[in-house]
């Protein structure tokens, strides 16, 4: 994968380099990589230049000496957009990628053409969830991610998806990619999400047209938090996906792609 260097960190990305096309930048969720958008990119790459970014310590981006907080990751996204010379972009962010998207759109409106927030929240992590995540990531650092998969899967995926035999290849591929990630870098990424500051006060500064999407069964960033986003961001629209948990791009790929196509058009 190509990379950029910023502030001592190596940031990996992918780029379809579709000529003369509007640009979509995809920001992935925690414990994933740009791979989580592969169904959408496959459907959109003939009409859009699709770029993904792997956050520090995840996917193909190696661990960094620091800077796993959401503000630093936002600066990484700014650096990539400017390095590629593709602004303004359509930003599509899921969870962690949405946390960055909120900051990017509020603080750098000149870089964002439109904003799609999938399974995202402007709030800080709830104290109970933060404690749970810190415990789980401590275990994964010591024993590996497979030791906590039983606890992690119901957080990231909805019950309908987990019960579907057709989901097995997707889950297996996710695990295959996840076990390759450096344990310490992954722990820092989890801590960055768990310790994030709220940005509810910045929502009114977002001027880009916004689509908010949430799974009806999302427990990590529940529908109530998506409702807050849609109410707080001017020109925002809310869509709720039935039988879907936190990882909508993989659980309901066709539905998410359809929403993106409609919104971007």
């Amino acid at each position: 994968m190509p990379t950029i260097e910023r502030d001592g960190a190596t940031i990996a990305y992918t780029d379809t380099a579709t000529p003369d096309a509007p640009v979509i930048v995809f920001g992935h969720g925690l414990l994933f990589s740009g791979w989580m958008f592969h169904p959408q990119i496959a459907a959109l790459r003939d009409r859009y230049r699709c770029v993904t970014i792997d956050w520090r310590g995840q996917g193909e981006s190696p661990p960094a000496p620091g800077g796993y907080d959401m503000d630093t990751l936002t600066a990484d996204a700014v650096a990539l957009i400017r390095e590629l010379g593709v602004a303004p972009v359509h930003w599509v962010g899921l969870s962690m990628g949405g946390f960055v998207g909120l900051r990017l759109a509020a603080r750098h409106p000149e870089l964002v053409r439109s904003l799609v927030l999938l399974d995202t929240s402007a709030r800080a992590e709830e104290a109970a969830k933060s404690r749970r995540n810190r415990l789980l990531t401590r275990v994964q650092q010591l024993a590996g991610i497979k030791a906590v998969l039983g606890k992690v899967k119901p957080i990231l995926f909805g019950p309908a998806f987990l019960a579907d035999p057709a989901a097995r290849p997707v889950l297996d591929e996710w695990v295959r990619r996840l076990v390759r990630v450096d344990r310490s870098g992954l722990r820092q990424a989890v801590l960055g999400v768990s310790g994030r500051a709220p940005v509810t006060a910045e929502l009114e500064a977002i001027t880009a047209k916004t689509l908010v999407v949430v799974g009806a069964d999302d427990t990590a960033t529940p529908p109530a938090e998506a409702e807050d986003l849609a109410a707080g961001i001017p020109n925002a629209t809310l869509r709720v996906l039935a039988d879907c948990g936190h990882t909508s791009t993989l659980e309901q790929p066709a539905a998410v792609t359809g929403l993106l196509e409609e919104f971007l058009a």
Side-chain angles (χ1 to χ4, degrees), residues 86-120:
V86 292
V89 305
H90 299 290
W91 182 272
V92 178
L94 189 149
S95 193
M96 190 175 188
F99 304 157
V100 172
L102 288 169
R103 290 160 172 79
L104 183 68
R107 302 171 189 177
H108 303 276
E110 74 283 0
L111 301 182
V112 180
R113 184 174 177 179
S114 73
L115 180 63
V116 179
L117 302 169
L118 306 169
D119 306 292
T120 296

Side-chain angles (χ1 to χ4, degrees), residues 60-74:
E60 298 300 320
S61 292
Y68 287 84
D69 60 284
M70 298 304 103
D71 290 347
T72 303
L73 299 186
T74 300

Side-chain angles (χ1 to χ4, degrees), residues 36-108:
M36 76 180 314
F37 298 104
H38 72 270
Q40 290 72 44
I41 292 174
L44 296 170
R45 62 182 299 157
D46 62 330
R47 289 159 288 164
Y48 296 91
R49 180 177 174 181
C50 298
V51 177
T52 71
I53 180 171
D54 283 359
W55 305 122
R56 299 176 180 217
Q58 298 184 86
E60 298 300 320
S61 292
Y68 287 84
D69 60 284
M70 298 304 103
D71 290 347
T72 303
L73 299 186
T74 300
D76 290 344
V78 170
L80 177 63
I81 292 170
R82 289 178 174 164
E83 176 80 13
L84 297 179
V86 292
V89 305
H90 299 290
W91 182 272
V92 178
L94 189 149
S95 193
M96 190 175 188
F99 304 157
V100 172
L102 288 169
R103 290 160 172 79
L104 183 68
R107 302 171 189 177
H108 303 276

Side-chain angles (χ1 to χ4, degrees), residues 9 14 79 98 126 153 211:
T14 67
E126 293 178 0
K153 283 182 180 180
L211 173 65

Side-chain angles (χ1 to χ4, degrees), residues 4 10 19 28 48 51 68 93 100 108 130-131 137 143 148 154-155 167 193 221 241 244 255 261-262:
I4 63 169
T10 299
H28 67 84
Y48 296 91
V51 177
Y68 287 84
V100 172
H108 303 276
S130 181
R131 288 193 297 270
T137 196
V148 297
I155 299 171
V193 166
T221 52
L241 297 176
C244 187
E261 289 177 323
E262 178 186 1

Side-chain angles (χ1 to χ4, degrees), residues 136-211:
L136 289 174
T137 196
R138 181 61 176 161
V139 174
Q140 76 83 26
Q141 186 178 27
L142 294 172
I145 191 66
K146 287 188 175 181
V148 297
L149 283 180
K151 298 290 187 182
V152 170
K153 283 182 180 180
I155 299 171
L156 295 181
F157 302 100
F161 185 74
L162 291 175
D164 185 357
R168 177 54 54 188
V170 175
L171 291 168
D172 288 346
E173 178 63 14
W174 167 63
V175 173
R176 187 186 71 81
R177 291 171 176 267
L178 189 56
V179 296
R180 293 171 15 204
V181 176
D182 180 90
R183 294 183 186 183
S184 62
L186 191 60
R187 181 170 187 265
Q188 291 304 312
V190 173
L191 295 178
V193 166
S194 295
R196 69 184 185 276
V199 289
T200 50
E202 297 187 56
L203 296 183
E204 62 183 13
I206 296 175
T207 56
K209 188 171 181 180
T210 302
L211 173 65

